[in-house]
mmCIF file with all atom_site columns, all heavy atoms in Angstrom:
data_model
loop_
_atom_site.group_PDB
_atom_site.id
_atom_site.type_symbol
_atom_site.label_atom_id
_atom_site.label_alt_id
_atom_site.label_comp_id
_atom_site.label_asym_id
_atom_site.label_entity_id
_atom_site.label_seq_id
_atom_site.pdbx_PDB_ins_code
_atom_site.Cartn_x
_atom_site.Cartn_y
_atom_site.Cartn_z
_atom_site.occupancy
_atom_site.B_iso_or_equiv
_atom_site.pdbx_formal_charge
_atom_site.auth_seq_id
_atom_site.auth_comp_id
_atom_site.auth_asym_id
_atom_site.auth_atom_id
_atom_site.pdbx_PDB_model_num
ATOM 1   N N   . ARG R 1 94  ? -13.917 9.560  22.655 1.00 77.00 ? 94  ARG R N   1
ATOM 2   C CA  . ARG R 1 94  ? -14.074 8.970  23.973 1.00 77.00 ? 94  ARG R CA  1
ATOM 3   C C   . ARG R 1 94  ? -14.119 7.446  23.874 1.00 77.00 ? 94  ARG R C   1
ATOM 4   O O   . ARG R 1 94  ? -13.111 6.781  24.011 1.00 77.00 ? 94  ARG R O   1
ATOM 5   C CB  . ARG R 1 94  ? -15.328 9.535  24.650 1.00 77.00 ? 94  ARG R CB  1
ATOM 6   C CG  . ARG R 1 94  ? -15.167 11.027 25.032 1.00 77.00 ? 94  ARG R CG  1
ATOM 7   C CD  . ARG R 1 94  ? -16.395 11.568 25.734 1.00 77.00 ? 94  ARG R CD  1
ATOM 8   N NE  . ARG R 1 94  ? -17.531 11.685 24.845 1.00 77.00 ? 94  ARG R NE  1
ATOM 9   C CZ  . ARG R 1 94  ? -17.750 12.753 24.080 1.00 77.00 ? 94  ARG R CZ  1
ATOM 10  N NH1 . ARG R 1 94  ? -16.923 13.761 24.091 1.00 77.00 ? 94  ARG R NH1 1
ATOM 11  N NH2 . ARG R 1 94  ? -18.814 12.803 23.302 1.00 77.00 ? 94  ARG R NH2 1
ATOM 12  N N   . LEU R 1 95  ? -15.286 6.857  23.592 1.00 76.00 ? 95  LEU R N   1
ATOM 13  C CA  . LEU R 1 95  ? -15.381 5.400  23.567 1.00 76.00 ? 95  LEU R CA  1
ATOM 14  C C   . LEU R 1 95  ? -14.644 4.803  22.371 1.00 76.00 ? 95  LEU R C   1
ATOM 15  O O   . LEU R 1 95  ? -13.761 3.977  22.514 1.00 76.00 ? 95  LEU R O   1
ATOM 16  C CB  . LEU R 1 95  ? -16.851 4.968  23.551 1.00 76.00 ? 95  LEU R CB  1
ATOM 17  C CG  . LEU R 1 95  ? -17.587 5.053  24.886 1.00 76.00 ? 95  LEU R CG  1
ATOM 18  C CD1 . LEU R 1 95  ? -19.039 4.640  24.714 1.00 76.00 ? 95  LEU R CD1 1
ATOM 19  C CD2 . LEU R 1 95  ? -16.919 4.188  25.926 1.00 76.00 ? 95  LEU R CD2 1
ATOM 20  N N   . GLY R 1 96  ? -15.017 5.204  21.168 1.00 80.00 ? 96  GLY R N   1
ATOM 21  C CA  . GLY R 1 96  ? -14.312 4.731  19.989 1.00 80.00 ? 96  GLY R CA  1
ATOM 22  C C   . GLY R 1 96  ? -14.488 3.254  19.698 1.00 80.00 ? 96  GLY R C   1
ATOM 23  O O   . GLY R 1 96  ? -13.515 2.513  19.662 1.00 80.00 ? 96  GLY R O   1
ATOM 24  N N   . PHE R 1 97  ? -15.734 2.823  19.461 1.00 83.00 ? 97  PHE R N   1
ATOM 25  C CA  . PHE R 1 97  ? -15.964 1.423  19.082 1.00 83.00 ? 97  PHE R CA  1
ATOM 26  C C   . PHE R 1 97  ? -15.475 1.152  17.659 1.00 83.00 ? 97  PHE R C   1
ATOM 27  O O   . PHE R 1 97  ? -14.980 0.068  17.364 1.00 83.00 ? 97  PHE R O   1
ATOM 28  C CB  . PHE R 1 97  ? -17.452 1.079  19.193 1.00 83.00 ? 97  PHE R CB  1
ATOM 29  C CG  . PHE R 1 97  ? -17.885 0.747  20.589 1.00 83.00 ? 97  PHE R CG  1
ATOM 30  C CD1 . PHE R 1 97  ? -18.540 1.690  21.365 1.00 83.00 ? 97  PHE R CD1 1
ATOM 31  C CD2 . PHE R 1 97  ? -17.640 -0.491 21.139 1.00 83.00 ? 97  PHE R CD2 1
ATOM 32  C CE1 . PHE R 1 97  ? -18.934 1.408  22.656 1.00 83.00 ? 97  PHE R CE1 1
ATOM 33  C CE2 . PHE R 1 97  ? -18.021 -0.801 22.429 1.00 83.00 ? 97  PHE R CE2 1
ATOM 34  C CZ  . PHE R 1 97  ? -18.677 0.146  23.194 1.00 83.00 ? 97  PHE R CZ  1
ATOM 35  N N   . LEU R 1 98  ? -15.640 2.117  16.778 1.00 86.00 ? 98  LEU R N   1
ATOM 36  C CA  . LEU R 1 98  ? -15.208 1.942  15.393 1.00 86.00 ? 98  LEU R CA  1
ATOM 37  C C   . LEU R 1 98  ? -13.775 2.419  15.195 1.00 86.00 ? 98  LEU R C   1
ATOM 38  O O   . LEU R 1 98  ? -13.020 1.829  14.422 1.00 86.00 ? 98  LEU R O   1
ATOM 39  C CB  . LEU R 1 98  ? -16.156 2.705  14.446 1.00 86.00 ? 98  LEU R CB  1
ATOM 40  C CG  . LEU R 1 98  ? -17.629 2.294  14.512 1.00 86.00 ? 98  LEU R CG  1
ATOM 41  C CD1 . LEU R 1 98  ? -18.470 3.184  13.603 1.00 86.00 ? 98  LEU R CD1 1
ATOM 42  C CD2 . LEU R 1 98  ? -17.805 0.833  14.122 1.00 86.00 ? 98  LEU R CD2 1
ATOM 43  N N   . THR R 1 99  ? -13.425 3.488  15.878 1.00 86.00 ? 99  THR R N   1
ATOM 44  C CA  . THR R 1 99  ? -12.044 3.993  15.835 1.00 86.00 ? 99  THR R CA  1
ATOM 45  C C   . THR R 1 99  ? -11.311 3.455  17.058 1.00 86.00 ? 99  THR R C   1
ATOM 46  O O   . THR R 1 99  ? -11.023 4.192  18.009 1.00 86.00 ? 99  THR R O   1
ATOM 47  C CB  . THR R 1 99  ? -12.029 5.536  15.844 1.00 86.00 ? 99  THR R CB  1
ATOM 48  O OG1 . THR R 1 99  ? -12.805 5.992  16.973 1.00 86.00 ? 99  THR R OG1 1
ATOM 49  C CG2 . THR R 1 99  ? -12.629 6.102  14.578 1.00 86.00 ? 99  THR R CG2 1
ATOM 50  N N   . ASP R 1 100 ? -10.976 2.159  17.036 1.00 79.00 ? 100 ASP R N   1
ATOM 51  C CA  . ASP R 1 100 ? -10.484 1.526  18.259 1.00 79.00 ? 100 ASP R CA  1
ATOM 52  C C   . ASP R 1 100 ? -8.960  1.475  18.358 1.00 79.00 ? 100 ASP R C   1
ATOM 53  O O   . ASP R 1 100 ? -8.425  0.900  19.304 1.00 79.00 ? 100 ASP R O   1
ATOM 54  C CB  . ASP R 1 100 ? -11.068 0.115  18.411 1.00 79.00 ? 100 ASP R CB  1
ATOM 55  C CG  . ASP R 1 100 ? -10.582 -0.841 17.326 1.00 79.00 ? 100 ASP R CG  1
ATOM 56  O OD1 . ASP R 1 100 ? -10.031 -0.362 16.336 1.00 79.00 ? 100 ASP R OD1 1
ATOM 57  O OD2 . ASP R 1 100 ? -10.783 -2.056 17.489 1.00 79.00 ? 100 ASP R OD2 1
ATOM 58  N N   . THR R 1 101 ? -8.230  2.086  17.399 1.00 86.00 ? 101 THR R N   1
ATOM 59  C CA  . THR R 1 101 ? -6.774  2.146  17.501 1.00 86.00 ? 101 THR R CA  1
ATOM 60  C C   . THR R 1 101 ? -6.371  3.371  18.318 1.00 86.00 ? 101 THR R C   1
ATOM 61  O O   . THR R 1 101 ? -6.656  4.499  17.914 1.00 86.00 ? 101 THR R O   1
ATOM 62  C CB  . THR R 1 101 ? -6.122  2.227  16.102 1.00 86.00 ? 101 THR R CB  1
ATOM 63  O OG1 . THR R 1 101 ? -6.421  1.041  15.374 1.00 86.00 ? 101 THR R OG1 1
ATOM 64  C CG2 . THR R 1 101 ? -4.614  2.369  16.224 1.00 86.00 ? 101 THR R CG2 1
ATOM 65  N N   . PRO R 1 102 ? -5.720  3.200  19.469 1.00 87.00 ? 102 PRO R N   1
ATOM 66  C CA  . PRO R 1 102 ? -5.303  4.359  20.279 1.00 87.00 ? 102 PRO R CA  1
ATOM 67  C C   . PRO R 1 102 ? -4.311  5.225  19.519 1.00 87.00 ? 102 PRO R C   1
ATOM 68  O O   . PRO R 1 102 ? -3.477  4.721  18.766 1.00 87.00 ? 102 PRO R O   1
ATOM 69  C CB  . PRO R 1 102 ? -4.645  3.713  21.508 1.00 87.00 ? 102 PRO R CB  1
ATOM 70  C CG  . PRO R 1 102 ? -5.135  2.304  21.531 1.00 87.00 ? 102 PRO R CG  1
ATOM 71  C CD  . PRO R 1 102 ? -5.362  1.916  20.101 1.00 87.00 ? 102 PRO R CD  1
ATOM 72  N N   . VAL R 1 103 ? -4.387  6.521  19.717 1.00 88.00 ? 103 VAL R N   1
ATOM 73  C CA  . VAL R 1 103 ? -3.516  7.438  18.985 1.00 88.00 ? 103 VAL R CA  1
ATOM 74  C C   . VAL R 1 103 ? -2.049  7.172  19.291 1.00 88.00 ? 103 VAL R C   1
ATOM 75  O O   . VAL R 1 103 ? -1.169  7.363  18.430 1.00 88.00 ? 103 VAL R O   1
ATOM 76  C CB  . VAL R 1 103 ? -3.902  8.905  19.298 1.00 88.00 ? 103 VAL R CB  1
ATOM 77  C CG1 . VAL R 1 103 ? -3.627  9.248  20.757 1.00 88.00 ? 103 VAL R CG1 1
ATOM 78  C CG2 . VAL R 1 103 ? -3.175  9.863  18.372 1.00 88.00 ? 103 VAL R CG2 1
ATOM 79  N N   . GLY R 1 104 ? -1.743  6.691  20.478 1.00 88.00 ? 104 GLY R N   1
ATOM 80  C CA  . GLY R 1 104 ? -0.359  6.397  20.838 1.00 88.00 ? 104 GLY R CA  1
ATOM 81  C C   . GLY R 1 104 ? 0.244   5.248  20.049 1.00 88.00 ? 104 GLY R C   1
ATOM 82  O O   . GLY R 1 104 ? 1.472   5.094  20.003 1.00 88.00 ? 104 GLY R O   1
ATOM 83  N N   . HIS R 1 105 ? -0.601  4.418  19.439 1.00 89.00 ? 105 HIS R N   1
ATOM 84  C CA  . HIS R 1 105 ? -0.123  3.282  18.645 1.00 89.00 ? 105 HIS R CA  1
ATOM 85  C C   . HIS R 1 105 ? -0.228  3.545  17.146 1.00 89.00 ? 105 HIS R C   1
ATOM 86  O O   . HIS R 1 105 ? -0.044  2.627  16.345 1.00 89.00 ? 105 HIS R O   1
ATOM 87  C CB  . HIS R 1 105 ? -0.929  2.022  18.987 1.00 89.00 ? 105 HIS R CB  1
ATOM 88  C CG  . HIS R 1 105 ? -0.745  1.557  20.394 1.00 89.00 ? 105 HIS R CG  1
ATOM 89  N ND1 . HIS R 1 105 ? -1.657  0.735  21.047 1.00 89.00 ? 105 HIS R ND1 1
ATOM 90  C CD2 . HIS R 1 105 ? 0.249   1.795  21.289 1.00 89.00 ? 105 HIS R CD2 1
ATOM 91  C CE1 . HIS R 1 105 ? -1.237  0.490  22.278 1.00 89.00 ? 105 HIS R CE1 1
ATOM 92  N NE2 . HIS R 1 105 ? -0.080  1.121  22.442 1.00 89.00 ? 105 HIS R NE2 1
ATOM 93  N N   . MET R 1 106 ? -0.549  4.794  16.770 1.00 92.00 ? 106 MET R N   1
ATOM 94  C CA  . MET R 1 106 ? -0.862  5.078  15.373 1.00 92.00 ? 106 MET R CA  1
ATOM 95  C C   . MET R 1 106 ? 0.265   4.672  14.419 1.00 92.00 ? 106 MET R C   1
ATOM 96  O O   . MET R 1 106 ? 0.035   3.954  13.435 1.00 92.00 ? 106 MET R O   1
ATOM 97  C CB  . MET R 1 106 ? -1.163  6.574  15.200 1.00 92.00 ? 106 MET R CB  1
ATOM 98  C CG  . MET R 1 106 ? -1.448  6.985  13.759 1.00 92.00 ? 106 MET R CG  1
ATOM 99  S SD  . MET R 1 106 ? -1.949  8.730  13.611 1.00 92.00 ? 106 MET R SD  1
ATOM 100 C CE  . MET R 1 106 ? -0.415  9.567  14.051 1.00 92.00 ? 106 MET R CE  1
ATOM 101 N N   . PHE R 1 107 ? 1.483   5.102  14.668 1.00 95.00 ? 107 PHE R N   1
ATOM 102 C CA  . PHE R 1 107 ? 2.561   4.844  13.721 1.00 95.00 ? 107 PHE R CA  1
ATOM 103 C C   . PHE R 1 107 ? 2.915   3.355  13.667 1.00 95.00 ? 107 PHE R C   1
ATOM 104 O O   . PHE R 1 107 ? 3.203   2.831  12.585 1.00 95.00 ? 107 PHE R O   1
ATOM 105 C CB  . PHE R 1 107 ? 3.786   5.689  14.074 1.00 95.00 ? 107 PHE R CB  1
ATOM 106 C CG  . PHE R 1 107 ? 3.559   7.160  13.880 1.00 95.00 ? 107 PHE R CG  1
ATOM 107 C CD1 . PHE R 1 107 ? 3.445   8.012  14.966 1.00 95.00 ? 107 PHE R CD1 1
ATOM 108 C CD2 . PHE R 1 107 ? 3.436   7.699  12.609 1.00 95.00 ? 107 PHE R CD2 1
ATOM 109 C CE1 . PHE R 1 107 ? 3.214   9.363  14.793 1.00 95.00 ? 107 PHE R CE1 1
ATOM 110 C CE2 . PHE R 1 107 ? 3.214   9.056  12.417 1.00 95.00 ? 107 PHE R CE2 1
ATOM 111 C CZ  . PHE R 1 107 ? 3.098   9.891  13.511 1.00 95.00 ? 107 PHE R CZ  1
#
Side-chain angles (χ1 to χ4, degrees):
R94 291 182 290 274
L95 283 178
F97 278 101
L98 301 176
T99 53
D100 66 346
T101 297
V103 66
H105 295 159
M106 178 175 68
F107 293 109

